[in-house]
Amino acid sequence: MVSLARKNLLHDRLRFVITVAGVAFAVTLVLVQVGLFLGLLGKATVTIENSSADIWVTSRETPNVDFAHSFPETTVLRVRGVAGVERADNAIVQFMNIMLPSGAEEGCLVYGLEDFSSWNLPWDVESGDPTELRRGDFILMDRSAERRFGPFAVGEYREILGHRFKIIGATRQAASFTTAPVVFMDFRRAQGLQQTVHNKTSYILVKVAPGHDKAQVAARIRAVTPYNDVYTREEWAARSRNYWVVSTGLGMNMGITVFLGILVGIVVVAQTLYTSAVEHVKEFGTVKAIGGSNWDIYKILGEQALIAAVVGYTIGAAMSFGMRPLLAQLHLNVLVSPQFAATVFAGTVLMCLGAAMLSFKRVAGIDPALVFRA
Amino acid sequence: MNAMLACCDRDAERERDATSLREVLAVEDVRKTFVEGSQKVEVLRGVSLAVDQGEVVALEGPSGSGKTTLLSIMGCILTPSAGRIRVAGREVSGDESALRDVRKRSIGFVFQQYNLFPALTAQENVEYALNVKGVRGRGAAAEAARVLELVGLGDRKRFLPRDLSGGQKQRVAIARALAGAPEVLLADEPTANLDTAVGTQILELFQKLAKDENKGLVIVTHDPKVRNVADRVVGIRDGRLSNPQEH
Ligand SMILES: Nc1ncnc2c1ncn2[C@@H]1O[C@H](COP(=O)(O)OP(=O)(O)O)[C@@H](O)[C@H]1O
Ligand SMILES: [Mg+2]
């Protein structure tokens, strides 16, 4: 089969380059912007997703994991009595002020548990032992803190709410969406630091016994904790994520970026394909004169759109991939899952085919009789 | 044995063709009126013409006399306002897909402007036309090569139109028209863009192909040289055929 579509693309090389550049631009914009957004959003749920808690009990209307309110710590006793609960523990998540060596005061997000190892928190430990935390005024600090707090070394001391703590180790990956660095300390010490959490807790982490349905256990917990909200891990992650997507307008912002990317792509592709169709009117007339149908010509435009989509996507994806180290230096993480990449590819193909269809009416109207005209 | 049978079948077919299927194209009392705004232009006022297998008919007439219009109707690109058309023995109905089918199967066009696909080589130009006509793959490549040999371009198959002379381009166009074995070839002023010597060669090629390949051929032209190759010269004036001369 001779592909007039492909040969014509290569013949009008400049136009093809412009088309592909338009597609690549749109693809890069969407991949990088949405990838950055997803990378950022990952921080909103990273502790939920890494801890082994199947169910989170929160105070009423807690919007996301970073913004916890407190409730009586004895609630946990009721939760422990629910059928299907293997284990339930209190957990404090609380913003506290930390004094830096420079004298500056900064905020950090303290995670306080009695038995960290039972909850897989922290999950990426560079040095130090979380089980040691309960033995003294000790903390583990996440490496990401260095960006805000400056470098720190194990063995140094930091003052949190006027209390001196020794850094006994460092963790990685623990982050909050608010960018406040995460610090791990013993539950009782965290409770003692701040009046608002005396005898209180921020969350109850629940592990469901094997063979029990998470949703059913959550419903049972709900029945015994009328003043709390109860979420499965997935529900809680979704709620935390949605809070940032909606309340910050980030979601809308993303929507606009994706829309603009698609718009630019469609306009460029539609425009170049349309001018190409107009310039090749005589050729299409000839195709019709020798017995070709409108469908034969639609296939030419469709194939060209498809080629532009595939080449443009490949270049766009390569550019997005190439930008990752650069963005990583700016501490920006571009998160592109295979599903998301596939979705963008499908979207690119649809976008290009849709743009090609805008020329269909024009070529359908071509009169083969024009082949006899000069 | 099979080969012999096939060969005899073909002979039998040829014999039948030679007797009963002489006529490959006929228009009867064809009229065409163009409506432009409130004005009606009667371009063809009852034209009848029949073309036989292997026959070369020249159609002559002043500019604007309706030559191209008649050729378009014979080639099923345009529908007449009245009258009947028969191609390869079959009455042609007016609906677009039927017309397209006739163009696909039975008609080969050659234009003054060549109308080659500029991005395709000579070989690809012919092969692509075959693809459109439903011939694909190796068969199309072989048939394209064959017709390019026939027009004397065996050594120019890989050339793009821009690297060919006017005469060579017209040869590619003729090869493309021949491809797919249509019964009828229709050429609209095929030598108008060529110099005299080249024009003569093209006309002689047309004549030879019509005879060798047994096509019915209509050539629209002002070119007086056409009289050397035509079996019949038909004049057209004000939408009517005039002084149909036998050669
Ligand atoms: N599509 C059309 N609409 C209106 N008038 C047309 C159209 N095609 C041809 N004509 C008119 O018909 C007449 C004959 O045209 P044409 O067949 O092209 O003549 P020729 O090929 O002999 O020069 C001309 O006057 C031309 O203007
Ligand atoms: Mg004309």
Side-chain angles (χ1 to χ4, degrees), chain A residues 159-195:
Chain A
E159 224 173 76
I160 298 177
L161 292 176
H163 220 87
R164 250 163 74 91
F165 286 86
K166 184 180 183 183
I167 302 173
I168 61 161
T171 65
R172 283 179 298 237
Q173 305 289 327
S176 86
F177 192 82
T178 61
T179 75
V182 171
V183 167
F184 296 91
M185 73 169 70
D186 176 59
F187 179 80
R188 291 290 158 205
R189 282 181 178 75
Q191 216 181 23
L193 280 178
Q194 200 160 3
Q195 187 64 38

Side-chain angles (χ1 to χ4, degrees), chain A residues 2 4 7-8 11 280-290 297 300 371, chain B residues 111 113-122 124-130 132 159-162 169 172-173 176:
Chain A
V2 175
L4 184 60
K7 298 283 176 169
N8 275 353
H11 201 67
H280 291 91
V281 152
K282 191 134 196 194
E283 287 177 50
F284 294 150
T286 306
V287 172
K288 289 188 180 187
I290 61 182
I297 299 168
I300 295 173
V371 290
Chain B
F111 315 101
Q113 318 286 334
Y114 321 126
N115 289 11
L116 298 177
F117 301 104
L120 303 185
T121 63
E124 289 165 342
N125 259 282
V126 180
E127 218 175 307
Y128 178 70
L130 282 162
V132 170
F159 283 51
L160 286 173
R162 62 156 183 259
K169 275 186 249 200
V172 177
R176 185 174 68 180

Side-chain angles (χ1 to χ4, degrees), chain A residues 373, chain B residues 34 36 41 43 62-70 188-189:
Chain A
R373 286 177 221 140
Chain B
F34 287 111
E36 275 197 336
V41 189
V43 177
S63 189
S65 57
K67 303 183 297 293
T68 297
T69 304
L70 178 56
D188 194 12
E189 319 236 10

Side-chain angles (χ1 to χ4, degrees), chain A residues 233-255:
Chain A
R233 183 215 313 260
E234 291 73 25
E235 289 165 353
W236 181 227
R239 181 175 169 84
S240 289
R241 201 180 298 126
N242 286 346
Y243 172 81
W244 296 111
V245 172
V246 176
S247 74
T248 60
L250 269 174
M252 175 65 84
N253 183 45
M254 231 358 69

Side-chain angles (χ1 to χ4, degrees), chain A residues 247-295:
Chain A
S247 74
T248 60
L250 269 174
M252 175 65 84
N253 183 45
M254 231 358 69
I256 291 172
T257 304
V258 171
F259 174 76
L260 286 179
I262 291 171
L263 192 70
V264 168
I266 285 188
V267 167
V268 171
V269 176
Q271 158 71 22
T272 51
L273 281 180
Y274 190 84
T275 28
S276 162
V278 169
E279 262 173 43
H280 291 91
V281 152
K282 191 134 196 194
E283 287 177 50
F284 294 150
T286 306
V287 172
K288 289 188 180 187
I290 61 182
S293 61
N294 280 333
W295 191 242

